[in-house]
């Protein structure tokens, strides 16, 4: 995991929890409209992948238990984890790319409605992603994966000053590279080949030499529209288009997108496909359905988008008619750490990953609400352009005081609690009823995120080893962790 050079260990902020009356009067617990949806308060649980779907993307009992447990805490809005829009294998991540996924998703909707007595509005985050392969063994890479070209021959000739390499058979080039020192590789392989060897092969939206990448602008609007229609058919209250982090749509928005087909380069071109996807979705689901977007305040990578880009995108999205703007930060592949052989690169291991899920081992600013100043700028730009589209701020927000202060300052309209809701899904009901002191406070040290990185069922260190003798509880595959927290005993 990436760390600051001279990190400072921050303590959780001291806080005072509101009485029930104070909570009732607070901004946080006032209702707000998000498109056609009426949220009972300004509380929001952003998407979190818990690694509980089946290998082929169906909803499991463990998924139902997970979302039921969040719904019992009655946040106003709960966003279901990033769910794949295509009908392709993608491991144990939820999918919505075919009608066969509908029965499971319908059940999920029912479970949340029942558990929250209709209070929690349920949205689903829909995502497209490109291929990322595991880091290969060196020998396999040179023997099988690397496509040998005359450029390799030429570079080896230059390196060895031996003419015979220009006509060397493929097998000899492979043997040469396999037995060469690591320092030699950059002199023979191009940048992408070296990356494929050291990090695993990873597609980019700029790989337009590949027909399936070239055609993304032609196929994605329909794929997203069909997925959004299924979300509506399953009974979800709305969809969130995942235009954040390391995935396809964020890569179109990225300043790194240099496509020359009208979908890359200038900001106006980079936002074109995200808007076309939105319009296709809107056309399919109708005007009376809530469709929002999650995107980045800053990509936190060299040459990436900054908040000025995000302000521009925010205004474009609001103008196009998106119903909410949920702001995240970072989470990119470009600065991710090298994975171990056999593992895939994880886009939350570099500085941009830190900014996405900041921990208490931080710089002087600390992890608490560190993205809020950028969110405020985006909101200001959107409001100044004449739109009232609600903006959701997330990142290191765990107390009522923090949330209330953000709303009082007008920095955001809604407050997202991701890890804090995972640490204690009853946060919302506890705080509203004046039992804030009973909140199990997230320590922001990312045990949960490490599980996500290892593709293990996500739990929280504050509750996954407690009351293990409770009858009927489900355990993680390792047999040592409970999968959902115990209920709240008042
Ligand atoms: C285990 C885990 C899984 C996550 N999965 C998603 C996801 O599917 N989609 C998404 O947009 N963000 C995802 N995030 C990021 C969170 O939504 C949130 O932006 C981030 O944790 C920072 O907010 P927090 O400080 O309130 O936790 C995930 C975070 C965690 C800890
Ligand atoms: S594991 Fe740690 S960071 Fe994650 S929710 Fe629990 S306390 Fe917070």
């Amino acid at each position: 995991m990436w760390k600051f050079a001279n990190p400072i260990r921050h303590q959780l902020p001291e806080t005072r929890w509101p009485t029930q009356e104070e909570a009732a009067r607070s901004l946080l617990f006032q209702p707000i409209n998000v498109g056609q949806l009426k949220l009972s308060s300004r509380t929001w649980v952003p998407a979190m992948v818990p690694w509980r779907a089946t290998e082929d993307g169906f909803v499991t009992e463990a998924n139902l238990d997970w979302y039921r447990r969040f719904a019992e805490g009655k946040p106003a809005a709960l966003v279901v984890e990033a769910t794949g829009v295509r009908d392709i294998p993608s491991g144990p991540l939820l999918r919505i790319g075919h009608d066969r996924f509908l029965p499971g998703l319908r059940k999920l909707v029912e479970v949340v409605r029942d558990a929250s007595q209709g209070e929690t509005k349920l949205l689903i985050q829909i995502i497209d992603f490109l291929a990322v392969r595991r880091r290969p063994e060196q020998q396999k890479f040179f023997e099988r994966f690397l496509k040998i070209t005359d450029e390799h021959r030429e570079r080896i000739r230059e390196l060895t000053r031996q003419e015979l390499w220009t006509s060397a058979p493929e097998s000899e080039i492979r043997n040469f590279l396999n037995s060469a020192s690591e320092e030699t590789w950059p002199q023979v392989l191009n940048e992408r080949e070296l990356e494929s060897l050291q990090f695993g092969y990873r597609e980019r939206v700029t790989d337009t030499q590949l027909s399936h990448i070239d055609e993304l602008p032609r196929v994605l609007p329909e794929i997203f529209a069909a997925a959004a229609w299924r979300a509506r058919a399953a009974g979800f209250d709305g969809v969130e288009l995942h235009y954040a982090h390391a995935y396809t749509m964020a890569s179109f928005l990225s300043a790194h997108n240099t496509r020359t087909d009208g979908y890359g380069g200038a900001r106006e071109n980079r936002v074109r496909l995200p808007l076309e996807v939105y319009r296709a979705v809107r056309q399919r689901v109708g005007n009376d359905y809530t469709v929002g977007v999650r995107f980045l305040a800053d990509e936190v990578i060299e040459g990436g988008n900054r908040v000025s880009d995000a302000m521009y995108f925010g205004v474009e999205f609001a103008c196009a008619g998106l119903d909410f703007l949920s702001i995240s930060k970072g989470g990119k592949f470009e600065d991710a750490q090298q994975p171990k052989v056999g593992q895939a690169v994880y886009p939350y291991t570099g500085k941009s990953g830190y900014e996405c899920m900041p921990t208490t081992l931080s710089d002087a600013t600390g992890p608490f609400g560190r993205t809020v100043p950028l969110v405020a700028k985006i909101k200001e730009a959107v409001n100044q352009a004449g739109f009232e589209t609600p903006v959701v701020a997330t990142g290191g927000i765990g107390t009522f005081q923090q949330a209330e202060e953000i709303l009082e300052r007008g920095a955001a309209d809604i407050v997202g609690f991701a890890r804090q809701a995972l640490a204690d899904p009853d946060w919302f009901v506890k705080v509203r009823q004046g039992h804030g002191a009973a909140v199990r406070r997230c320590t922001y040290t990312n045990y949960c995120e490490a599980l996500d990185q290892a593709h293990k069922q996500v739990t929280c260190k504050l509750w996954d080893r407690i009351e293990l003798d409770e009858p009927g509880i489900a355990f993680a595959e390792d047999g040592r962790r409970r999968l959902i927290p115990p209920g709240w005993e008042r």
Side-chain angles (χ1 to χ4, degrees):
M1 199 44 175
W2 180 90
K3 286 196 175 65
F4 286 100
N6 297 302
I8 301 166
R9 172 74 69 191
H10 290 257
Q11 300 301 314
L12 293 185
E14 295 274 328
T15 197
R16 193 183 82 77
W17 298 99
T19 62
Q20 191 167 2
E21 293 70 33
E22 285 167 336
R25 285 197 304 270
S26 70
L27 289 174
L28 186 64
F29 289 103
Q30 299 312 311
I32 184 170
N33 289 349
V34 175
Q36 300 290 317
L37 274 188
K38 291 190 188 327
L39 299 189
S40 62
S41 72
R42 284 131 194 272
T43 59
W44 185 279
V45 179
M48 280 182 281
V49 166
W51 295 98
R52 282 170 174 56
T54 65
E55 271 301 317
D56 39 10
F58 288 95
V59 171
T60 61
E61 282 300 319
N63 277 123
L64 299 179
D65 292 346
W66 172 262
Y67 287 106
R68 181 186 296 111
R69 190 66 191 83
F70 279 97
E72 283 167 1
K74 299 189 180 172
L78 171 59
V79 186
V80 167
E81 68 205 74
T83 299
V85 290
R86 291 186 195 243
D87 198 11
I88 50 162
S90 34
L93 294 168
L94 285 184
R95 285 160 56 186
I96 191 166
H98 189 274
D99 289 353
R100 69 178 180 283
F101 297 111
L102 280 176
L105 293 168
R106 278 198 184 108
K107 205 173 241 177
L108 184 51
V109 168
E110 275 165 32
V111 156
V112 167
R113 210 159 273 160
D114 287 353
S116 71
Q117 283 122 18
E119 175 155 356
T120 298
K121 300 300 175 205
L122 190 65
L123 297 106
I124 184 165
Q125 186 180 60
I126 57 176
I127 184 172
D128 184 60
F129 40 82
L130 301 180
V132 181
R133 306 224 188 289
R134 293 158 202 260
R135 178 180 159 195
E137 283 169 22
Q138 176 198 318
Q139 196 175 345
K140 264 197 198 152
F141 178 80
F142 287 123
E143 283 179 1
R144 301 218 313 257
F145 302 153
L146 180 67
K147 197 165 167 286
I148 301 297
T149 65
D150 282 344
E151 276 179 41
H152 297 128
R153 292 187 172 87
E154 182 52 26
R155 294 209 196 101
I156 298 176
R157 183 193 68 77
E158 277 172 19
L159 199 67
T160 59
R161 296 167 196 231
Q162 291 174 349
E163 287 303 319
L164 55 92
W165 286 105
T166 50
S167 56
E170 202 177 294
S171 57
E172 282 186 30
I173 303 288
R174 291 187 187 283
N175 287 341
F176 174 91
L177 285 167
N178 197 22
S179 45
S181 66
E182 281 187 33
E183 295 73 49
T184 309
W185 297 337
Q187 299 176 59
V188 181
L189 304 179
N190 66 32
E191 222 174 283
R192 286 294 289 280
E193 290 165 341
L194 195 62
E195 180 193 282
S196 296
L197 167 63
Q198 295 178 328
F199 287 77
Y201 170 76
R202 176 169 67 80
E203 286 176 352
R204 318 277 210 270
V205 297
T206 44
D207 290 340
T208 47
Q209 73 284 3
L210 305 172
S211 60
H212 67 282
I213 300 280
D214 188 42
E215 71 176 14
L216 287 171
R218 286 182 290 288
V219 301
L220 280 180
E222 168 54 30
I223 292 174
F224 269 95
W229 180 86
R230 281 186 202 103
R232 183 162 195 173
F236 285 95
D237 297 299
V239 292
E240 178 176 278
L241 306 176
H242 197 343
Y243 289 1
H245 308 152
Y247 312 108
T248 312
M249 299 307 295
S251 305
F252 271 92
L253 288 174
S254 175
H256 284 217
N257 171 11
T258 53
R259 283 178 73 118
T260 54
D261 58 354
Y263 290 95
R267 285 199 300 223
E268 298 70 31
N269 292 340
R270 301 193 323 257
V271 79
R272 193 169 149 202
L273 181 61
L275 289 175
E276 288 176 3
V277 164
Y278 164 65
R279 289 193 193 106
V281 165
R282 177 58 78 201
Q283 206 177 6
R284 191 68 56 92
V285 297
N287 286 335
D288 59 343
Y289 193 62
T290 294
V291 180
V293 58
R294 195 163 211 216
F295 67 106
L296 296 174
D298 190 314
E299 291 191 283
V300 201
I301 49 172
E302 230 181 287
N305 288 337
R306 300 278 92 91
V307 71
S308 54
D309 299 280
M311 289 156 73
Y312 169 80
F313 296 140
V315 172
E316 288 291 310
F317 293 149
C319 182
L322 277 142
D323 292 316
F324 65 86
L325 310 174
S326 175
I327 311 299
S328 186
K329 191 176 177 194
K332 305 296 287 185
F333 281 121
E334 281 79 354
D335 66 347
Q337 288 179 356
Q338 186 181 30
K340 292 198 180 104
V341 170
Q343 291 184 0
V345 60
Y346 178 73
Y348 304 96
T349 45
K351 164 101 166 94
S352 74
Y354 174 85
E355 294 290 350
C356 187
M357 297 176 233
T359 67
T360 45
L361 207 52
S362 188
D363 58 5
T365 306
F368 306 112
R370 113 188 229 116
T371 308
V372 174
L374 305 186
V375 177
K377 285 189 177 175
I378 297 168
K379 178 170 155 60
E380 197 186 348
V382 168
N383 294 161
Q384 275 180 3
F387 304 102
E388 295 298 318
T389 316
V391 178
V392 187
T394 304
I397 306 168
T399 70
F400 170 83
Q401 278 182 311
Q402 275 179 292
E404 191 65 5
E405 193 257 336
I406 289 166
L407 297 175
E408 273 169 5
R409 276 195 294 126
D413 302 287
I414 296 174
V415 182
F417 304 80
R419 287 168 294 172
Q420 179 53 66
L422 168 57
D424 189 348
D426 300 317
W427 192 100
F428 311 92
V429 70
K430 283 177 179 172
V431 175
R432 197 168 50 185
Q433 293 181 1
H435 296 290
V439 162
R440 192 165 42 231
R441 288 183 69 182
C442 174
T443 59
Y444 296 101
T445 45
N446 279 1
Y447 164 91
C448 50
E449 190 261 348
L451 291 165
D452 176 44
Q453 176 169 182
H455 297 190
K456 288 191 176 149
Q457 292 152 304
V458 171
T459 53
C460 168
K461 69 169 188 185
L462 299 179
W463 50 253
D464 68 359
R465 314 280 166 135
I466 62 174
E467 299 178 32
L468 294 183
D469 54 357
E470 192 181 318
I473 58 170
F475 282 88
E477 277 145 19
D478 57 29
R480 293 194 300 271
R481 297 176 289 132
R482 58 183 299 147
L483 283 174
I484 56 167
W488 175 37
E489 310 226 344
R490 287 154 221 236

